[in-house]
Amino acid sequence: MRTRRYPHIIYEVAYGYLKDTQAMDGGGIDVWVGSGEQTVVGIICTVDLLKRDSEIKILIGCNEKEIDYIYNFHNDSQYMKGILIRR
């Protein structure tokens, strides 16, 4: 999956936002949607030094492999770090 904002990044797990919601950055609340049953399995709390913000991203239906990918995705840069909170 690619996004218009960052077309060079290919997401291995579906990433988007919840319609009719609002996050701290003014956009929708971010979600990662995995291949499992559509229940909330946790959240990732991120700090982005380039954007100078922090966000919460909801993990829905993610299995262990998908959770590992998401966690590593948010910690693979010196400018962004995230912590995983499991449900």
Side-chain angles (χ1 to χ4, degrees):
M1 176 178 177
R2 294 180 192 263
T3 65
R4 283 182 263 172
R5 188 179 219 180
Y6 301 104
H8 63 285
I9 297 175
I10 298 173
Y11 295 91
E12 294 180 20
V13 178
Y15 181 68
Y17 65 92
L18 294 174
K19 184 178 176 182
D20 298 326
T21 63
Q22 186 170 353
M24 298 277 299
D25 64 359
I29 296 172
D30 295 336
V31 293
W32 289 94
V33 181
S35 59
E37 184 179 333
Q38 300 301 295
T39 60
V40 174
V41 297
I43 61 173
I44 293 276
C45 301
T46 64
V47 174
D48 187 326
L49 297 177
L50 292 179
K51 289 174 42 181
R52 300 174 60 99
D53 77 354
S54 63
E55 293 185 35
I56 293 174
K57 295 148 189 321
I58 302 171
L59 281 62
I60 300 174
C62 298
N63 62 35
E64 287 303 313
K65 182 178 177 185
E66 293 164 337
I67 291 170
D68 286 345
Y69 167 80
I70 295 163
Y71 177 82
N72 291 325
F73 180 89
H74 288 293
N75 286 284
D76 192 33
S77 162
Q78 64 181 346
Y79 302 108
M80 180 186 286
K81 298 296 176 195
I83 59 169
L84 170 66
I85 301 172
R86 293 177 183 265
R87 181 170 186 206

